[in-house]
Amino acid sequence: MDSRLHADITARLDRDFAFKEKGDWLRGGRCPSCDGKSVWTHAEAPWVLRCEKLNKCGQEWHVKELYPDLFNKWSERHPATDTNPHAAADAYLRDGRGFDLERIKGWYTQEHYFDRELNLGSATVRFPVANAYWERIIDEPHRFGDKKAHFKKGIHYGHTWWVPPGLDLTTAKEVWIVEGIFDAIALLHHDVVAVSALTCNNDCAHSIEALGQACDAAGADRPTLVWALDGDKAGRSYTRKYVKACRDAGWDVTAAQIPQQGRSKLDWNDMHQRGRLEAKNLTDYRYHGALLVAESAGTKAVLMYQHGNGSSFPFEFDSRLWWFKLDLDKYHKAAEAIADAEPDLKKDEVRERALLEAHAVTEIATCYPQALYYQRQEITDESWYYFRVSFPHGPQPVKNTFTAAQIAGAAEFKKRLLAMASGAIYTGSTGMLDALMKRQLSRLPVVETVDFIGYSKGEKAHPHRAYIFGDIAVHAGRWVALNDEDYFELGKLSIKSLNQSVGLHINTKAADFRTDWVRDLYTAFGAKGIVALAFWFGVLFAEQIREQDKSFPFLEVVGEPNAGKTTLIEFLWKLCGRMDYEGFDPSKSTLAARSRNFAQVSNLPVVLIEGDRTDDMKKGGFDWDELKTAYNGRASRARGVKNSGNETYEPPFRGAIVISQNAPVVASEAVMSRICHLYFDRAGQSPDTRRAAEALERMPIEEVSGFILRATQAEARVLQLVRDLAPGMERVLAGRPEIRSQRVIKNHGQLMALVTALADVFPAINPQMVDAAHDQCIAMAIERQESLNADHVFVQEFWEIFEYLEGEADPGPEDPIGVPSVLNHSRDPQLIAISLPHFEQVCADRKLRHAPLPELKRVLGTSRRHKFLGVRTVNSIINARFNDRSVITGSDQRRPVSVKCWVFQV
Ligand SMILES: [Zn+2]
């Protein structure tokens, strides 16, 4: 091993594994997979690390998987010198691929590749292919996406293979046909004659035909062809196709396959580097290849029987489920008969033929169910087995869940299978099913689930720290697509979302994303548009910000009808990949529906919109105070869960509140102080702003949904900026004498920091917009403080009506008893006592408009003009005088003297 690489790797291993050195070996390292002190490797050449708990774990890693950054910058680590202009290529092939350079000397050159589109360059390792070349980028190849290995443009290599220089195929007993050049070279190190098809869908027909002719001309036996393509879906399906074609053309042909376990595909080069190309390994790969290309269910079953699978077992053939059973009596009789009839046959051949006669193979399902993984919902204690069911012809495989009960018995299994896919019929017994499940469920991977869409921080001991969106996830600055089995592989974490109700359509194509809408947003909504965008952007980090700062503010978007609120919010949703959606009306939703809406997203906005105001005011089903706890990320309300136990599931609030309505929120000071308030009117509207708003409405979601991807990929940077900048922004706000509320300062400080972070990630937001948005935030903080100082408009209106009516209270000369007050029932001149039903009645009599009682009741307690003391039963002076008057006038009308009143200080 290169001494510098050895030093770098050893330093990392010391840090991560706590090995103990024993002779030439490092032992007792902490296993990242099973947590045992069971990992070992060679001290001088620590290329491969293995867990010694073979039955329980048995994981192994090539050191380049553990520390990819040490195997990434070959030109930097090995600059070209006068004596060796190919130093980087040499090091890459030696240390990165495990090749013996003596063996491949002169086969390749080191070249340079520059990509104009990406404006990036890298050294390459180049191999001549078909009068052109193929080359592999070796310096941080991930930067080049799927161009990391490529051919010279315009190359024609179809139907031919790449032969290692100097190799004579006509003298070989076997020729292995593999996908990559590195695969072929790897096998050559183990005396396997191998050629590269270059891609998995190249049938190499011309080369094969030429080889046949060359053998015939030389009078040599034709070699056996061994198709040894990769173990992925494409490689397996082409292997079957090409083996059949070669068989039809008269070749001796078979296949070899590396059985794939776990998530990352392993190829021949990987096996070479892991020391897994010994004779016994190759035998195993041939066995798996033979299974893949077996021509009949019977042949396949016999292969499996001979491999030690027992005398009865289930197996797959042609996407159907079969049962093999050996009849031992019949077998012995057949063997005797064959040996008698043909005494010259070898023992092996007798056994083979007897086997074919004495076994029974029966189809037990018209499809093939394959358990993929176990998924569990911790909170509700529910679990499922996730299966893929494939079919011989026609329909695509179906993926769905089975409960434990549904795989425990043949009858239930049959029913569930039929329900999952039409025509999927299981005809086996429970015993056969047990045998199938025993094979499939042992060491079945576990996939964690979340029941929401968005950011999952996970548990403290077991963090996720990943964004789980519809078909992509973002983790540590990178995005990952959903795999074929419908979950995300994020490092060691396997995770999926069970939420079906929030659909996000995020376009991951970088070329489609544009930012010219920033200009339209600014034209249509000015600095307020940028502030709204910054808040929306911040929502994508609400969980982390709450973790860091304990709270995340609410945003209230208020404005006149047609001021563009819906346009704005629907556009902001489009940036996150959500189409034609604004929010939901909490006052029209049941408590259960509200809880669902609050719980189904994380680090995404929960937008509360108002429907028809006048209708709802009377219903008053929703109390803004329900939201208070959402500010700190706690549950808004307990939610009952359907499970067998009595526990109540209280999901924490993981989203962020956005309120959109025509009138400002009516709520207690506690709620009001949590809100950043944006008011939109039509005053500034012009043909220009309308055009800009229309442009936002028309903007295709495919061209803007990259926003959420870019934002979440910049997670670390954004959080750093917010952490660094928010305190300074808060000091700016605290410097304004008119702002006193700490909460107002904190909310708007966070918002200002988010404006700066937003512009950092999206430079289309220019410094002028940033300044305007910052000024807007300061103005909003001042306004918010003013609204906290003042009584709510409904309360102001209430006292205005009170004072107006008090003016009427002056008793006229014609009324000897007189009325001291129209509304105030109090006998104590220091108090004001008002009965709200009475207030409503008086207003109705005089045709005075006022806020509806339910709304009024919610805010009246916050009154500042007259301090609220409580709701009390009062001895009413108004009703007492009324009764007096009735006595005088001889009327028999009486009113109760005890009245329930809202009592205030004068
Ligand atoms: Zn282990």
Side-chain angles (χ1 to χ4, degrees), residues 610-639:
E610 66 179 340
D612 189 346
R613 184 89 202 160
T614 43
D615 267 13
D616 296 335
M617 305 260 296
K618 293 270 169 352
K619 287 193 208 145
F622 178 64
D623 184 348
W624 292 109
D625 278 335
E626 269 184 36
L627 295 180
K628 257 187 333 205
T629 50
Y631 182 72
N632 309 98
R634 292 200 300 274
S636 61
R637 276 288 169 91
R639 165 161 87 129

Side-chain angles (χ1 to χ4, degrees), residues 89-128:
D90 286 352
Y92 172 78
L93 292 168
R94 185 189 61 221
D95 301 339
R97 293 281 169 178
F99 295 153
D100 171 7
L101 295 183
E102 281 305 311
R103 203 182 269 268
I104 56 175
K105 211 170 181 177
W107 294 10
Y108 60 92
T109 52
Q110 178 175 331
E111 305 289 341
H112 196 264
Y113 172 76
F114 187 81
D115 190 297
R116 269 169 221 283
E117 224 172 274
L118 300 167
N119 196 30
L120 292 171
S122 162
T124 68
V125 176
R126 181 180 291 181
F127 288 81

Side-chain angles (χ1 to χ4, degrees), residues 6-19 63 66-70 77:
H6 183 256
D8 289 345
I9 290 173
T10 305
R12 303 279 183 97
L13 295 180
D14 283 347
R15 181 191 71 189
D16 297 344
F17 288 88
F19 278 118
V63 73
L66 298 173
Y67 307 117
D69 59 307
L70 299 179
R77 293 179 76 93

